[in-house]
Amino acid sequence: SNRIASQVDALRCLLQRGGLFIPKNTKSRVLSEASNYIRTLQDRQQVMSIEMNHLKSQLDVALRREQHQGVGLNIPGVVPSMSNPL
């Protein structure tokens, strides 16, 4: 129907903004590429989440090390906790 065709065209435009070019009149390819793109984004998000947790852990270790040494760690945007006035 016309509504499905316009939604497929909108999806094609979104994919193009993501760097994928899909010729017109290939609805099944648009859906297949959209599915692949979503999986790719999910994989990237998972990798970034793992990396973020690793970085948070490293920061936590560094902050604890600095607390034990009595030296303030000056990190822009990170406010020292009230329990450990520096």
Side-chain angles (χ1 to χ4, degrees), residues 20-49:
L20 299 172
F21 175 75
I22 302 162
K24 289 198 172 214
N25 299 325
T26 54
K27 293 175 187 168
S28 65
R29 182 144 179 238
V30 169
L31 296 175
S32 176
E33 290 297 328
S35 177
N36 291 337
Y37 190 62
I38 289 168
R39 272 191 227 100
T40 298
L41 292 175
Q42 288 172 332
D43 291 345
R44 284 185 197 170
Q45 188 273 332
Q46 186 176 17
V47 168
M48 292 175 81
S49 179

